[in-house]
């Protein structure tokens, strides 16, 4: 597990950004809330209306990154626990734009498989904060680092929840673009929720193209590295929905193997190594001991030809997920 930790400390993010993500010349206002009363539960609406920053006390820091800090906080009156993501006013404008994108997307979603946002605050000094539900076991990446072994039964439960979350997002024309173990939150009940929508994209139309390289390159699909060869659109773009499915397949493989599947033990990753492995090599395979259902599920996700990858709605009917006990 130490080798996996070394790999993760490296920065595998690509700096290129699409036109819409260039630095703004002026401060951006908070995006308006677009969740209708039909899409938001009354309990969530009540929570949003009654909580203020003064009601919260910080317990500990959960993490840092992208110009901000995530805190574990407690409501002073009812002792409820939340996660508070704060992006500072002096952070990079690109990071600030990402937090506004995340706010906009969280306000569009209402799914038990996507992390819930309770409130959004903008401090007088310009800091922006999102109050979210707290997942007490952190991320699936934390579990990998701690040496947890994921059986096929557990992986099927994880896969079912993530696919449900993706199906919800995709049906609302939202592409995550950075699905990986560190962006999947988990609690002590092994409930898994998709989080971190800083580089996600809201598609204006169902067939809008994607042509951005944002995200973590280790989990990118072949067409994201080389859309001209693998994109199937003949215009230098790719199917963003299918790219999320590829990232799902790699994530499940990593959980099962305990290390990133494209790299040998002790191998230090770099952009060129990953790009060559993903674009020119065969998709990583599973040991012979796995079930045919699990092998088939991974193969449905890791088709290099994006047009052959199953959609989230199709994966929900895959035999690998049929034995999962539904809520």
């Amino acid at each position: 597990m130490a080798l996996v930790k070394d790999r993760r400390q490296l920065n595998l993010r690509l700096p290129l950004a699409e036109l819409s993500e260039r630095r703004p010349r002026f401060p951006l206002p908070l995006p308006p809330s677009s969740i209708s009363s039909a899409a938001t539960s009354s309990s969530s609406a009540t929570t949003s209306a009654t909580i203020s920053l003064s009601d919260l006390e910080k317990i500990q820091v959960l993490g840092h990154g992208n110009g901000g800090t995530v805190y574990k906080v407690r409501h002073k009156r009812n002792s409820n626990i939340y996660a508070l993501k704060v992006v500072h006013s002096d952070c990079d404008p690109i990071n600030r734009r990402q937090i506004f994108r995340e706010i906009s997307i969280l306000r569009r979603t209402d799914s038990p498989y996507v992390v819930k946002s309770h409130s959004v605050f903008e401090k007088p000094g310009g800091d922006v904060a999102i109050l979210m539900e707290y997942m007490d076991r952190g991320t699936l990446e934390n579990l990998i680092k701690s040496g947890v072994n994921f059986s096929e039964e557990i992986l099927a439960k994880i896969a079912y929840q993530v696919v449900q979350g993706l199906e919800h997002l995709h049906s609302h024309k939202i592409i995550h673009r950075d699905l990986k173990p560190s962006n999947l939150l988990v609690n002590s009940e092994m409930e898994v929720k998709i989080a971190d929508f800083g580089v996600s994209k809201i598609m204006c139309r169902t067939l809008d193209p994607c042509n951005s390289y944002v995200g973590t390159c280790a989990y990118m699909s072949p067409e994201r590295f080389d859309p001209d060869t693998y994109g199937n659109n003949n215009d230098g773009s790719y199917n963003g929905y299918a790219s999320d499915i590829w990232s799902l397949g790699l994530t499940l493989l990593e959980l099962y193997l305990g290390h990133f599947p494209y790299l040998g033990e002790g191998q230090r990753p770099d952009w060129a190594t990953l790009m060559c492995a993903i674009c020119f090599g065969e998709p990583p395979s599973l040991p012979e001991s796995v079930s045919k259902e699990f092998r088939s599920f991974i193969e449905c996700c890791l088709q290099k030809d994006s047009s052959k990858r199953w959609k989230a709605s199709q994966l929900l009917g895959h035999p690998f997920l049929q034995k999962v006990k539904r809520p």
Side-chain angles (χ1 to χ4, degrees), residues 152 290-297 299 318:
E152 287 193 27
V290 304
S291 69
K292 63 179 182 180
E293 290 84 7
F294 185 35
R295 185 182 305 280
S296 171
F297 187 89
E299 289 175 349
H318 192 280

Side-chain angles (χ1 to χ4, degrees), residues 166 170 179-180 216-225 230 239-253 260-262 274 277-284 297-306 309-310 315:
L166 286 177
H170 291 178
L179 196 72
K180 56 185 178 179
T216 306
C217 64
Y219 299 86
M220 284 184 179
S221 56
E223 67 272 13
R224 295 193 65 187
F225 284 103
Y230 300 101
N239 182 338
Y241 303 106
S243 69
D244 278 349
I245 301 301
W246 175 278
S247 301
L248 167 66
L250 280 188
T251 293
L252 293 174
L253 260 182
F260 184 68
Y262 268 110
L274 289 166
I278 293 171
C279 291
F280 304 123
E282 292 300 316
F297 187 89
I298 295 298
E299 289 175 349
C300 290
C301 295
L302 296 184
Q303 292 289 325
K304 291 184 71 173
D305 183 344
S306 60
R309 263 174 247 151
W310 286 29
L315 289 174

Side-chain angles (χ1 to χ4, degrees), residues 163 167 170 245 310-318:
V163 173
E167 198 278 332
H170 291 178
I245 301 301
W310 286 29
K311 298 178 181 178
S313 56
Q314 292 176 292
L315 289 174
L316 287 173
H318 192 280

Side-chain angles (χ1 to χ4, degrees), residues 41 73 117 127 146 189 262 321:
S41 66
V73 298
S117 168
D127 289 0
S146 64
E189 304 298 321
Y262 268 110
L321 303 186

Side-chain angles (χ1 to χ4, degrees), residues 38-71:
T40 306
S41 66
S42 60
S43 61
S44 177
T46 301
T47 301
S48 178
T50 57
I51 294 181
S52 66
L53 279 176
S54 61
D55 294 327
L56 306 172
E57 58 179 352
K58 295 176 182 176
I59 300 175
Q60 68 182 88
V61 174
L62 297 176
H64 299 277
N66 292 332
T69 306
V70 181
Y71 300 93

